[in-house]
Amino acid sequence: MIALVSVSVSHYLVVGAILFVTGVICMATKRNSLGVLMGVELVLNGANLNFIAFGSSYLRANSLGLDGQLMSLFVIVLAAAEAAVALAIALNFYNNHSTIDVDQASDLKG
Amino acid sequence: MYVDLDTIKLLWPELVLVLLATWIYIGGTIQQGRWWWGLFALAAYGVSGHAVAVGIVEANTVSGPLTPDSLGYVVRFTAIVLGALFTLVLTASARKELASETIATLMLLICGVMLVGRANDLVFLFVSLELVSIPTYVLLYLGRRDRATSEATVKYFFLSVLSSAVLLYGLTMLYGVAGTTTLVGPGSIQSELQSLSVDAGGLGSLTPVALVLIIAGLGFKMAAVPFHFYAPDVYQGATNANAGLLAVVPKVAGVIALIRVAVIAMPNVAEFAWHVTLVLALVTMTIGNVCALWQQNLRRLMAYSSIAHAGYMLIGVAVAMAMEASGGISGTLFYLLVYAFGSLGMFAALASLGSDEQEVSRLEQLSGLARSRPFVAGAIAVCMFSLAGIPPLAGFWGKFTLFTGAVRVATDSGGQATSVWFAVLAVGGAINAAIAAVYYLRVVAVMYFQPSREANFGTNVGARVVMLFAAVLVVALGIFPRSIFNATEHAESSALREKVAAQTIQRLEAIATSQQVP
């Protein structure tokens, strides 16, 4: 319990920021489009962690209600909806390109 | 019971659209045929528009996540009109077996824009923006099934998701700093930030970070720098109708969200905000206009034009950030409307020329169009002149308001540095308008002064009606801009009224506490 007292919001923010940056790096370097999708999940969860940390009644003197937790729930649901659409898009890409390597998406330029 | 009759009444225009869109999804499996569902969707927009109009008359005192200001009404009417017009274009050009899905997805997208227009809460705003994004991916995917479209969809999807995540990360910081998710009103983000100094350390110093992330995230929807580079590729890969949709509808949502969050709700970083927006405006419009100069693909050309217009809109946003009640919001709204109809007319004209075998996508396909299709050529010319900002068309008044707004801040503001910045902005905008005229006029010159080519153009009736409507509207707004100006000015003052009221309450409270001390 004593160890927990010294944990503050900023510790959570650092973890959230690390998740965010890891996700962005994952999106930038992965060639498999499902790998890129995993990067998206990391980025969104980094933001979720921020919401939970900012809204937590243990880390803040004044209570903020459940707004932060609620927002995280909404984001989780939205991420699921986006993943469903992403799979359809990846399948369509596979039908046309016979691969889901996003580096092959390089026909359009000018 | 939390969901009572008042909530349903308040959300009725949007609920109608969602319910009828679901009906179309289900009914489309039984009853096929384009015009059946196209006319059904038009009727749905009619019902929804009527409900919005009735809602104005009723006293709107309910606060919470919905704001009753007239900025919301302008956005909702615009969204409904755009929805009806795009329904006509898409009904006529979508593949027959996918027509009902396309129309219903468009209805959900329009519902998202309407909700963004009245959002007064971070959760509500973010979910509404996602209701704009997700149907857009599906629409892009439904347009065509070839290599180019699948590539464009993948590119749009991943960048859009990344930008949503960046926006969300910015919103978390805003929530952390203010401790609430309400944007404007008593005890809201706006009133919490009003008294918060950025330099004092603590959580307050996160506000500029939040602002940068929010502007970047919404910049994707507007196709503004730094998230602009997707636009040319994606528009090129999409169908003409879908490219028009991408150029217009997400931009409306992005601009309104930017006004609601960055301009109205974040007063303590206004100084920093207008610096960032001003630089982005200059860079965005210059990149858009210069890159458009050597494009041969019409959709790429219009994509760079869309980027450039996002830059012009950011001028208005910067003006609104630098000076309160300066007409910045009103000018941006007006420009948004003018741009939406000019761009819509152009894309509808391109869609109307396409047939099942062949799609119009290269500039030389338009050569001699004035002789083979004089009406279409005339409509395209009107839209091009309006986008270039040539009087007496609507685009001229749009640019005129934005540039005079920048000049007003340059002359009226106290600071020397502010004057110089906004003078540079106004001059930069004027130079850009001149550059833009080159490529818009090149399209007109190709249509009118080059020999006619043998081409089998299609006859897409829905798109042709929309094209003529947009062209007539652009001319009418150019001759009678006053009616729309009145609406946008009222929208601005009503959007800022809540803010002014909150400031007054705060000032009175401060006086009251200072009097209690002795």
Side-chain angles (χ1 to χ4, degrees):
Chain A
M1 200 61 210
I2 294 160
L4 275 178
V5 172
S6 59
V7 175
S8 67
V9 178
S10 49
H11 293 90
Y12 286 89
L13 294 191
V14 170
V15 177
I18 291 172
L19 269 180
F20 187 86
V21 173
T22 315
V24 171
I25 292 173
C26 179
M27 285 184 81
T29 54
K30 280 279 178 191
R31 296 174 63 194
N32 186 310
S33 51
L34 297 183
V36 181
L37 198 64
M38 288 160 75
V40 172
E41 298 291 329
L42 283 182
V43 171
L44 289 175
N45 281 324
N48 271 347
L49 200 61
N50 269 11
F51 268 119
I52 303 282
F54 278 130
S56 169
S57 52
Y58 298 109
L59 301 172
R60 205 175 175 119
N62 53 338
S63 172
L64 299 181
L66 290 174
D67 285 351
Q69 283 89 325
L70 202 72
M71 183 80 173
S72 305
L73 280 180
F74 270 104
V75 173
I76 290 169
V77 173
L78 284 173
E82 264 165 4
V85 178
L87 291 181
I89 290 171
L91 193 63
N92 187 31
F93 190 79
Y94 182 80
N95 285 339
N96 285 300
H97 292 74
S98 306
T99 173
I100 49 170
D101 181 353
V102 283
D103 282 3
Q104 298 301 312
S106 55
D107 292 345
L108 301 170
K109 51 166 125 29
Chain B
M1 199 166 76
Y2 185 69
V3 180
D4 54 7
L5 202 61
D6 281 343
T7 316
I8 294 175
K9 217 175 183 177
L10 208 63
L11 281 169
W12 184 238
E14 287 84 3
L15 281 177
V16 166
L17 286 187
V18 173
L19 288 175
L20 293 181
T22 318
W23 181 256
I24 296 179
Y25 276 127
I26 298 169
T29 59
I30 302 158
Q31 168 76 44
Q32 290 213 336
R34 326 157 167 259
W35 287 106
W36 174 271
W37 294 115
L39 294 175
F40 186 88
L42 287 182
Y45 287 117
V47 172
S48 176
H50 177 256
V52 176
V54 170
I56 293 180
V57 184
E58 289 174 4
N60 269 310
T61 50
V62 189
S63 58
L66 298 174
T67 166
D69 63 12
S70 72
L71 176 61
Y73 283 107
V74 172
V75 176
R76 288 159 85 197
F77 277 121
T78 314
I80 288 174
V81 171
L82 287 176
L85 295 177
F86 274 114
T87 302
L88 281 172
V89 179
L90 285 173
T91 307
S93 52
R95 283 187 300 158
K96 191 166 181 288
E97 66 273 21
L98 289 178
S100 60
E101 280 86 352
T102 310
I103 294 163
T105 314
L106 176 70
M107 273 168 85
L108 295 180
L109 171 59
I110 293 299
C111 176
V113 178
M114 288 170 73
L115 290 175
V116 170
R118 58 203 304 221
N120 192 27
D121 188 279
L122 292 185
V123 186
F124 198 87
L125 184 79
F126 186 73
V127 175
S128 317
L129 281 172
E130 287 297 300
L131 189 54
V132 178
S133 300
I134 295 177
T136 318
Y137 314 143
V138 181
L139 273 179
L140 266 178
Y141 166 83
L142 290 176
R144 247 190 283 127
R145 286 278 176 85
D146 62 355
R147 261 182 94 86
T149 305
S150 65
E151 178 181 335
T153 316
V154 164
K155 280 185 176 168
Y156 187 80
F157 174 77
F158 282 122
L159 276 168
S160 176
V161 170
L162 178 63
S163 79
S164 294
V166 169
L167 171 69
L168 185 73
Y169 204 69
L171 295 184
T172 65
M173 306 234 165
L174 198 54
Y175 169 68
V177 172
T180 170
T181 56
T182 313
L183 282 170
V184 178
S188 64
I189 292 174
Q190 189 261 328
S191 57
E192 292 288 326
L193 292 189
Q194 192 79 50
S195 51
L196 197 68
S197 169
V198 181
D199 306 320
L203 281 178
S205 51
L206 284 177
T207 334
V209 185
L211 180 89
V212 169
L213 290 171
I214 288 169
I215 291 181
L218 291 174
F220 174 86
K221 295 232 164 9
M222 298 172 63
V225 170
F227 278 120
H228 66 288
F229 46 85
Y230 76 94
D233 287 359
V234 173
Y235 290 19
Q236 189 188 349
T239 60
N240 279 321
N242 278 343
L245 194 80
L246 278 185
V248 174
V249 180
K251 198 167 258 172
V252 175
V255 170
I256 300 307
L258 193 64
I259 289 175
R260 286 251 186 252
V261 181
V263 178
I264 299 179
M266 299 177 76
N268 66 332
V269 281
E271 179 80 16
F272 175 66
W274 71 251
H275 277 100
V276 173
T277 317
L278 191 148
V279 171
L280 282 185
L282 278 173
V283 175
T284 306
M285 59 192 177
T286 312
I287 286 184
N289 282 325
V290 171
C291 291
L293 286 175
W294 51 79
Q295 297 305 326
Q296 291 300 320
N297 185 299
L298 279 166
R299 286 193 297 276
R300 282 191 94 83
L301 180 96
M302 288 307 289
Y304 281 112
S305 142
S306 151
I307 296 171
H309 286 284
Y312 295 128
M313 286 167 210
L314 284 178
I315 296 181
V317 174
V319 168
M321 284 166 172
M323 216 163 116
E324 213 157 275
S326 56
I329 297 176
S330 150
T332 313
L333 266 186
F334 185 81
Y335 199 87
L336 192 60
L337 292 176
V338 166
Y339 164 77
F341 288 110
S343 210
L344 168 65
M346 174 65 181
F347 280 110
L350 293 182
S352 83
L353 291 175
S355 58
D356 286 342
E357 305 88 57
Q358 191 199 12
E359 189 170 41
V360 176
S361 49
R362 298 193 65 76
L363 184 56
E364 63 260 22
Q365 281 175 286
L366 292 184
S367 65
L369 196 70
R371 276 174 293 281
S372 54
R373 290 279 192 284
F375 273 109
V376 181
I380 293 181
V382 166
C383 293
M384 290 287 108
F385 283 135
S386 173
L387 289 176
I390 291 167
L393 295 168
F396 167 73
W397 295 109
K399 287 206 172 62
F400 181 75
T401 350
L402 288 183
F403 295 166
T404 46
V407 170
R408 196 180 308 133
V409 176
T411 51
D412 291 2
S413 73
Q416 178 80 32
T418 316
S419 301
V420 173
W421 275 109
F422 276 91
V424 168
L425 184 64
V427 172
I431 293 173
N432 265 289
I435 301 174
V438 174
Y439 61 87
Y440 289 127
L441 294 184
R442 200 181 54 171
V443 176
V444 178
V446 166
M447 290 190 305
Y448 279 84
F449 303 123
Q450 286 202 1
S452 193
R453 287 158 48 110
E454 276 306 310
N456 47 343
F457 291 130
T459 45
N460 180 331
V461 184
R464 193 148 301 180
V465 169
V466 172
M467 165 198 90
L468 286 178
F469 181 84
V472 168
L473 202 65
V474 163
V475 174
L477 282 185
I479 299 170
F480 309 105
R482 196 63 246 173
S483 52
I484 298 293
F485 267 133
N486 286 339
T488 58
E489 274 164 10
H490 187 250
E492 168 168 351
S493 59
S494 129
L496 290 175
R497 191 171 53 218
E498 293 272 323
K499 181 177 175 176
V500 174
Q503 282 167 352
T504 319
I505 290 171
Q506 209 162 35
R507 218 166 291 142
L508 289 177
E509 277 172 355
I511 294 169
T513 45
S514 66
Q515 282 171 346
Q516 277 166 3
V517 173

